[in-house]
Structures are given as structure tokens and as C-alpha cells.
Amino acid sequence: MDDKTRVREVLGGFQPEAVLVLGSGLGAVASRVQDACVQPQAALPGVPVAAVSGHGGEILCGTLGGRRVLVLSGRLHLYEGHNLGVVTRALRHVLSTGPRLVILTNAAGAIQRDFRPGELMLIADHLNLSGGSPLEGAHDPADGPRFPDMSNVWSVAARRAFRSVADERGVTLREGVYAMLRGPQYETPAEVRMLRLLGADAVGMSTVPEAIVTAARGIPVLGISMLSNLAAGISRVPLRHEEVLAEGQKAAHVLGMLLETGLARAIDATGGRA
Ligand code: HPA
């Protein structure tokens, strides 16, 4: 059986309007998805089983705020030893179903001094400091052009739609530049100072490869970082994964509400164009 047939079989022919990727500790958002059928991501061709605590590694097909959504609950990371092709494989498979919008979420450390743990940040742009590209290697035309434009990765229209929901609900929504490092160690204070000089407002270990793959195909991307902690050196407390997860569980409630209300608005606002 070829990959496309296998993907269609795993997804039961589901055609989502949007794909939502849930990061560290944000799995609770998935409970808002209605009438969901669940499959392991590892059922997709070439996708290994996830190992990090807080990352479920499931696919949910259902509705959120009345719209058909496919949720990748949990993702793979470079720090697990997977390459950029493997960490983006599940997403690439599901993009073949033709979604009009991709929403990427993550937990991130706050670099911008005004930001507070527990707040949400819309990603306005990114710094790819992963040291590679998910598009490197032989060119697959399914991935889009060989040299894709990255000047409008993060949909302005989708951001505006989410901001309108946040304003109505009185939710603080920050906006800034997300820098991706490979991890798994958190940054040193010197690295955080460097990232601030480079223009980063938040730092994490994911999301950018998925954004590159999606934008290269011309699909609009919305990114939301849950600021789980102040980046190293800003606060004097050492960083712990357990705290990142705990903060995520609290913010997941607000994020779930925003997604449930904002999804339809963002899909309609983008009209499927980046
Ligand atoms: N640095 C990198 N990744 C992270 C952080 C951080 O401070 N918090 C959550 N993910």
C-alpha cells in the first residue's frame, strides 16, 4: 500500500479545515474536540512512537467550535535524536488532506522583559536556530518550491482573528518573535542575552520546522506560545520540565477557550491563503 492510501486509511478519509498541533502540557485542549476519533501518530508511515512525558502522540479527528479539525496531540523533537525530516513527518502526512489553516502551539521561555509566565504569545515571526531545514535533501515537489519564500509565514489575518477573540474575553495576548534551539538543555543566561540581541521574545525547542514545512506549501500558519517560564537568567530559579508542564495545564484552559472561539474566525479570515 502506498503512503497516501495508508494515510487516508488511518484518518478514515477525514478532511480537516484546520490542523492543530498541541505542544508540551497542552494536551488538555484536546478534550474540547467533539466526536473525536483517535489514532496513534505512529500509525502513519515512518512516524516513530513519542517518548517525552506530556506528549501524547495521538491524532484526533473531530470538531472544535463547529469546524472540522485534525489535532496532532504531542510532537517529536530534535532532542529525542530524530532528524528534521522525522519531526515533521506526521504533519507532512496530514497536510496532504488539504487544510486551510495550521495552528502550532508550544511551551516557551519568555525573553521579552514585559512578558509573564502563564501568558500566551502569538508568534509574529521566528528565528530558525535549529541548524538545519526540514526541506533539505532531494526536492519533493509536494513540499512546494525548492526555495520557498519565508516573508509571510505567520498569517496576519489569523492573528487578527485571535486577537479579536482575546479582546472580547479580556485575555492578555502578547505577540513576538519565537526562536527555536535544539535543546534538550535549557539556555544559559548568556544564550538568552544573545537571543534577546537577535530579536527573540520567546525561546523553545519546536514549532519552527513545522512552520517552514507548512508555509512552503502556501498554507497559512498561526502560532501560539504558552509562556511557561521566564528564560534562564531573567529569573534566578532553575528551570524544571515539571514546572513547564504544570504552567501548561493552567494556561491550557485559556488557550482551549481561545481556540474553540477563534478557530472558525481564523479559518474564515485567512481564506486558505498565507
Ligand atoms: N527554553 C527553551 N524551551 C522551553 C523553555 C525555555 O525556557 N520553556 C519551555 N520550553
Side-chain angles (χ1 to χ4, degrees), residues 24 106-110 178-179 181 183-187 192 203-206 226-232 239 241 244:
S24 287
N106 58 46
Y178 174 90
L181 297 184
Q185 74 286 357
Y186 291 114
E187 300 69 39
V192 170
V203 57
M205 305 173 193
S206 69
M226 188 276 300
L227 303 169
S228 54
N229 56 279
L230 298 174
L239 299 180
H241 184 57
V244 171

Side-chain angles (χ1 to χ4, degrees), residues 50-151:
V52 175
S53 95
H55 295 264
E58 288 172 341
I59 307 168
L60 284 85
C61 298
T63 61
L64 183 64
R67 297 304 187 96
R68 288 190 313 282
V69 69
L70 186 153
V71 181
L72 293 177
S73 182
R75 52 158 70 90
L76 299 173
H77 297 84
L78 294 178
Y79 59 71
E80 293 168 89
H82 304 298
N83 65 33
L84 284 157
V86 173
V87 302
T88 52
R89 192 162 289 150
L91 179 65
R92 277 173 147 123
H93 282 313
V94 303
L95 290 184
S96 67
T97 61
R100 295 166 59 192
L101 175 68
V102 170
I103 302 181
L104 304 173
T105 66
N106 58 46
I111 293 180
Q112 162 72 249
R113 291 186 191 278
D114 298 340
F115 294 178
R116 292 285 157 263
E119 290 181 340
L120 300 172
M121 183 191 91
L122 290 174
I123 302 179
D125 207 346
H126 69 250
L127 294 170
N128 176 18
L129 303 176
S130 70
S133 166
L135 303 173
E136 65 200 19
H139 180 224
D140 178 353
D143 274 330
R146 174 75 288 197
F147 301 106
D149 177 42
M150 290 288 133
S151 43

